[in-house]
Amino acid sequence: MPVTVIVGAQWGDEGKGKVVDLLSRNADLVIRSQGGSNAGHTVVVKGTTYQFHLIPSGILEGTRCVLGNGVVVDPAQLVKEIALLEGMGVDVRSHLLVSDRAHVVMPYHPRFDAAQERARGSRKIGTTNRGIGPAYEDKVRRTGIRMGALLDREQCAKRITELIEDRNRQLERLGDDLVLDAAAERTALLEEAELLRPYIVDTYPLTDEALRKDARIVVEGAQGTMLDIDLGTYPYVTSSSPTAGGACTGTGIPPNRITRVIGIVKAYTTRVGEGPFPTEVSGEIETLLRERGHEYGVTTGRPRRVGWFDGTVARYSAGVNGMTAMVITKTDVLDTLDAVSTAGSYRAGEAVFTYPPSDLGTFASCIPEYETHAGWKRDISSIRSREELPSECREYIAHLEMLVGVPAAAISVGPDREETILDNPSLLWD
Ligand code: IMP
């Protein structure tokens, strides 16, 4: 039953793309389970940088890749991404499929996203403005359009026009007076659908067949556990389920077929957008982590908030996802530090928490209980085995394993695919 699920164990941007890329080499099928073009992966292969928003990075390996039913697809963005990758010599056409059950991010969804953020004022979420929340709202309200429906031009042309006209009126009420041109938007959408026609299929038979054949399947979650609509820091979350449960509902793979859940953790923590972040740092360390880690959003270019490794968050992720192993990324970013801190618990008044409290006010008032570790003060990017790491770095990694309660299967020491210590590959694949 070789189904491996990859989840972000923090607030997203843990470097999942690199791990999916690594695992894709040994996979027959890569399926993305949720989210949309709010996600952003950067993968560097032999000095060439590839950026992905929708398409699983497994496409670089020539592995069959699927956008699963739980994804929300912006057709214009997907067309653009396919063209960009094909232009770089990647054969997308032969390898990508899109579930006909996936929902469409309609042209008005990003506008609603922006209007809702404006209306929230100081309580804004800091969304990526890609229309993700409004697209999922429509899905749950049962007024969404699915990718499969776009292929029936006759049926959907009228519905698209009606929806755009209706949403124009709603947007006006929200103070957005930029009226969408229903005819032009409909034409553009139908043209994109035509370009995407070869990719859109019912992906259930393919997934089912892969499961029957015991094919090696990698499920790629976007974002991270703490952004999960149910288990994250609500309301400062995304609108889907980046946790392992979402891997099932977003692909049609049953829970009892999952063999491994690999949680990706950065050797420190980052967060984009608003909401509590107990181990956030400011000043010199903030600048160092952000600049050495290139902590700027792939999708929005926003500087990411940065902080120390939060064992409370990662341990919770290990629990709710059933993590069987973790991959620690960006360890090299800490190379120049004299000392590195980690937090294993929080204190809020008299209470001590070893997991993130569900009440946001309590979570926001949590003070991390830190431990300080000696820095290794050495460039580790050329090291390829755990034994060769400086002893301080080995101790740091062992400490993270102790905090999280799962072993590190691999340690990333640089952005390139090769810059990886594969410490325990049996935890990653058979
Ligand atoms: P949305 O997903 O655009 O609705 O944004 C909701 C929250 O999730 C915001 O705080 C975003 O910054 C965050 N978010 C969405 N996608 C990502 C991601 O891929 N990485 C990190 N944060 C994300």
Side-chain angles (χ1 to χ4, degrees):
M1 298 193 299
V3 177
T4 303
V5 172
I6 297 178
V7 292
Q10 294 157 327
W11 274 281
D13 307 316
E14 297 90 352
K16 292 180 291 293
K18 177 169 168 175
V19 181
V20 175
D21 172 57
L22 193 73
L23 263 67
S24 304
R25 287 188 245 177
N26 294 289
D28 303 303
L29 182 62
V30 177
I31 316 183
R32 185 161 156 201
S33 51
Q34 41 71 234
S37 46
N38 49 348
H41 294 325
T42 306
V43 178
V44 186
V45 183
K46 296 197 172 30
T48 306
T49 302
Y50 299 86
Q51 291 196 335
F52 301 87
H53 294 285
L54 277 166
I55 301 177
S57 49
I59 205 82
L60 297 179
E61 280 299 319
T63 308
R64 164 141 337 272
C65 289
V66 169
L67 293 181
N69 57 275
V71 175
V72 287
V73 180
D74 179 337
Q77 171 66 36
L78 184 55
V79 166
K80 204 163 83 186
E81 210 165 299
I82 292 171
L84 198 78
L85 285 169
E86 293 262 353
M88 291 175 89
V90 181
D91 179 8
V92 181
R93 178 64 198 92
S94 317
H95 299 108
L96 180 70
L97 289 172
V98 179
S99 166
D100 58 359
R101 289 181 171 90
H103 275 248
V104 180
V105 177
M106 296 291 282
Y108 41 79
H109 285 140
R111 300 276 290 276
F112 272 95
D113 206 346
Q116 289 169 349
E117 280 286 83
R118 272 197 308 276
R120 287 182 190 116
S122 63
R123 292 218 295 261
K124 73 175 180 358
I125 289 162
T127 72
T128 58
N129 268 327
R130 296 298 183 110
I132 305 303
Y136 279 113
E137 273 174 47
D138 269 343
K139 170 177 169 173
V140 173
R141 203 185 284 133
R142 290 160 289 185
T143 51
I145 294 193
R146 303 200 297 181
M147 290 300 283
L150 275 189
L151 299 181
D152 187 342
R153 291 176 75 91
E154 301 287 297
Q155 284 285 324
C156 82
K158 187 163 164 275
R159 172 133 176 78
I160 293 172
T161 311
E162 282 168 4
L163 276 170
I164 295 178
E165 285 169 352
D166 175 61
R167 299 311 159 90
N168 271 338
R169 286 189 289 275
Q170 290 182 22
L171 279 166
E172 265 181 85
R173 283 200 290 279
L174 281 167
D176 183 341
D177 47 14
L178 275 172
V179 173
L180 287 169
D181 179 337
E185 296 291 351
R186 185 193 56 211
T187 307
L189 197 56
L190 292 176
E191 273 171 18
E192 286 148 12
E194 225 30 69
L195 291 171
L196 296 175
R197 185 179 288 278
Y199 299 90
I200 303 171
V201 294
D202 181 353
T203 51
Y204 172 72
L206 169 104
T207 311
D208 188 51
E209 195 196 339
L211 287 169
R212 281 177 202 283
K213 286 186 176 157
D214 271 346
R216 293 155 306 174
I217 304 174
V218 172
V219 181
E220 171 183 354
Q223 289 88 41
T225 300
M226 297 306 281
L227 290 173
D228 187 279
I229 184 77
D230 288 286
L231 297 160
T233 46
Y234 190 89
Y236 298 101
V237 290
T238 192
S239 304
S240 61
S241 304
T243 43
C248 296
T249 55
T251 62
I253 294 177
N256 61 350
R257 298 303 304 266
I258 293 174
T259 334
R260 295 180 175 87
V261 180
I262 312 294
I264 316 302
V265 298
K266 242 179 231 182
Y268 50 100
T269 312
T270 62
R271 171 164 207 175
V272 202
E274 308 303 317
F277 178 2
T279 61
E280 185 168 15
V281 292
S282 58
E284 231 174 89
I285 302 283
E286 175 192 9
T287 311
L288 184 140
L289 291 178
R290 184 173 300 125
E291 296 312 316
R292 279 188 58 82
H294 309 290
E295 297 296 354
Y296 293 89
V298 176
T299 304
T300 60
R302 286 182 290 181
R304 295 180 185 139
R305 298 159 66 192
V306 296
W308 296 122
F309 186 86
D310 188 334
T312 312
V313 159
R315 188 185 307 118
Y316 173 69
S317 290
V320 298
N321 290 299
M323 273 161 54
T324 51
M326 62 179 170
V327 173
I328 302 174
T329 61
K330 292 194 155 183
T331 316
D332 55 300
V333 170
L334 307 177
D335 279 358
T336 60
L337 288 167
D338 292 324
V340 188
S341 298
T342 56
S345 55
Y346 309 131
R347 188 171 283 281
E350 292 301 300
V352 173
F353 290 94
T354 52
Y355 55 88
S358 58
D359 176 68
L360 204 70
T362 310
F363 189 40
S365 70
C366 281
I367 311 285
E369 300 195 297
Y370 284 117
E371 277 176 85
T372 306
H373 314 265
W376 42 96
K377 308 277 287 171
R378 244 184 77 190
D379 175 0
I380 58 169
S381 60
S382 58
I383 296 177
R384 298 289 174 269
S385 81
R386 191 157 163 165
E387 296 69 47
E388 286 165 45
L389 284 169
S391 60
E392 296 85 351
C393 186
R394 282 203 310 273
E395 279 162 30
Y396 184 70
I397 302 284
H399 188 75
L400 301 195
E401 288 178 313
M402 189 275 292
L403 284 178
V404 185
V406 295
I411 301 152
S412 173
V413 292
D416 203 280
R417 189 190 260 185
E418 305 305 322
E419 290 170 320
T420 308
I421 297 174
L422 266 181
D423 188 47
N424 202 338
S426 67
L427 294 174
L428 295 175
W429 53 69
D430 292 316

